[in-house]
Amino acid sequence: MLSELTPESTLDVAIQRYLQDSLGIAARVRAWTGGGTLPYFLHDAFELREMKLRDHLLLLAIERHPGKPGLAKVRGQLDKLSVLAKCPVIYVTSVLSF
């Protein structure tokens, strides 16, 4: 479902609707303003959105280059992103390889 949507505002609405419909959780998703401070390899790899969920700020790292990225590579990127953003990161992709 998420991979079919491209505009950011549509994606935000899709994520919010998905969480509400599947988990009954109301969340607010919007652009993350801290992306300008990230190293290029992270900025290039992910579209970054912030999500407010039950008074907790989370970062959504949406894969920019669909494919089959290696799990170890993604894990390293997400760990680095979490440290730099100072909040938990959720990886969003349409494909995973193990």
Side-chain angles (χ1 to χ4, degrees):
M1 177 179 94
L2 295 179
S3 63
E4 299 170 7
L5 305 168
T6 53
E8 291 176 350
S9 60
T10 303
L11 182 58
D12 296 348
V13 171
I15 292 168
Q16 291 167 157
R17 186 177 305 135
Y18 174 78
L19 290 170
Q20 181 64 46
D21 293 349
S22 51
L23 301 173
I25 295 174
R28 191 175 74 192
V29 178
R30 62 179 179 217
W32 184 59
T33 58
T37 63
L38 296 177
Y40 176 76
F41 78 95
L42 292 174
H43 183 66
D44 181 58
F46 304 109
E47 172 67 36
L48 299 169
R49 315 296 291 161
E50 70 179 36
M51 180 171 67
K52 185 87 171 195
L53 184 64
R54 296 187 177 185
D55 297 326
H56 296 284
L57 183 65
L58 305 168
L59 195 62
L60 301 175
I62 303 164
E63 186 69 47
R64 284 190 194 263
H65 309 288
K68 295 182 180 178
L71 211 48
K73 177 182 177 182
V74 171
R75 179 61 186 219
Q77 290 173 323
L78 296 179
D79 288 346
K80 180 72 172 173
L81 187 54
S82 181
V83 168
L84 293 172
K86 298 179 180 138
C87 68
V89 177
I90 298 172
Y91 179 59
V92 180
T93 187
S94 59
V95 179
L96 280 178
S97 65
F98 295 96

